[in-house]
Amino acid sequence: ATFAVTFFLSLYLQYIRGYSPQAAGLILAVQPMVMALFASLSGTLADRADPGRIASFGMALSVLALLLLAMTGIETSLAYLVVCVIVLGLGLAFFASPNTTAIMGSVERRFYGVASGTLGTMRLVGQMLSMGIATIILALYIGKVAITPDTYHQFLSGMRTAFLIFAVLCGAGIGFSLIRGTVKQAERPEN
């Protein structure tokens, strides 16, 4: 649900706000930097506490960021957008590592390869669906025309709709994350 956020914000920053592709990229680079800074912390927490709850907290932060982004308008300040991508980066950092820990901890050691492959496949399917939703929404709101000042309001309406849909999907993810089964203790080799 969050993969297309960068796509939308990149278009928003370049077309609506007039930033160069390089400047837009630097602004959007804040999110993965925040993820990189906090992913190891969330992974450490997931090793010590219930990873399902930590992943759910991360998804809740993602929902918050998406709801805040759904209020983006033509005159939205850059500071507001940066705060939103920071919250989204935190959400993804606190979701990804604990979610992986929970998934890998729920299978026997001999199925690690299958679990890892399934996790990677599901991640890519999710990214594909996120971009599919974005494409459908842009087609419905803008059609087959370029993004120009004449279509800015349609683009913004479509972007807001997408962010609301993504927030609902992440909300459902919170529910699934909370109801998952217990995580088995990882098998530790004897020294």
Side-chain angles (χ1 to χ4, degrees), residues 132-143:
I133 290 169
T135 303
I136 290 169
I137 287 173
L138 285 179
L140 291 173
Y141 279 82
I142 296 178

Side-chain angles (χ1 to χ4, degrees), residues 157-175:
S157 294
M159 184 177 78
R160 286 187 209 112
T161 300
F163 290 158
L164 290 173
I165 290 170
F166 297 153
V168 168
L169 291 172
C170 284
I174 294 170

Side-chain angles (χ1 to χ4, degrees), residues 31 46 57 66 77 98 103 157 160:
Q31 181 218 331
F57 169 73
L66 289 164
S77 73
I103 291 168
S157 294
R160 286 187 209 112

Side-chain angles (χ1 to χ4, degrees), residues 16-174:
I16 308 289
R17 299 303 300 273
Y19 288 100
S20 69
Q22 181 181 16
L26 288 172
I27 293 164
L28 294 174
V30 170
Q31 181 218 331
M33 286 190 293
V34 169
M35 286 177 62
L37 288 171
F38 287 92
S40 61
L41 171 65
S42 70
T44 301
L45 289 173
D47 290 339
R48 296 180 182 163
D50 179 13
R53 293 205 185 278
I54 297 167
S56 298
F57 169 73
M59 190 65 74
L61 286 175
S62 296
V63 169
L64 173 63
L66 289 164
L67 291 174
L68 291 171
L69 285 168
M71 294 186 274
T72 302
I74 289 177
E75 297 298 323
T76 300
S77 73
L78 182 59
Y80 180 87
L81 290 174
V82 169
V83 167
C84 289
V85 297
I86 287 172
V87 173
L88 184 61
L90 283 170
L92 294 174
F94 278 92
F95 174 76
S97 294
N99 188 56
T100 301
T101 298
I103 291 168
M104 299 305 288
S106 67
V107 298
E108 296 175 25
R109 181 179 292 268
R110 63 189 173 120
F111 294 117
Y112 280 177
V114 173
S116 178
T118 302
L119 178 62
T121 301
M122 292 297 99
R123 186 176 295 122
L124 285 174
V125 168
Q127 292 170 352
M128 178 190 66
L129 289 174
S130 182
M131 287 305 297
I133 290 169
T135 303
I136 290 169
I137 287 173
L138 285 179
L140 291 173
Y141 279 82
I142 296 178
K144 295 181 180 182
V145 299
I147 299 173
T148 64
D150 293 337
T151 60
Y152 284 175
H153 288 290
Q154 292 95 328
F155 171 77
L156 282 171
S157 294
M159 184 177 78
R160 286 187 209 112
T161 300
F163 290 158
L164 290 173
I165 290 170
F166 297 153
V168 168
L169 291 172
C170 284
I174 294 170

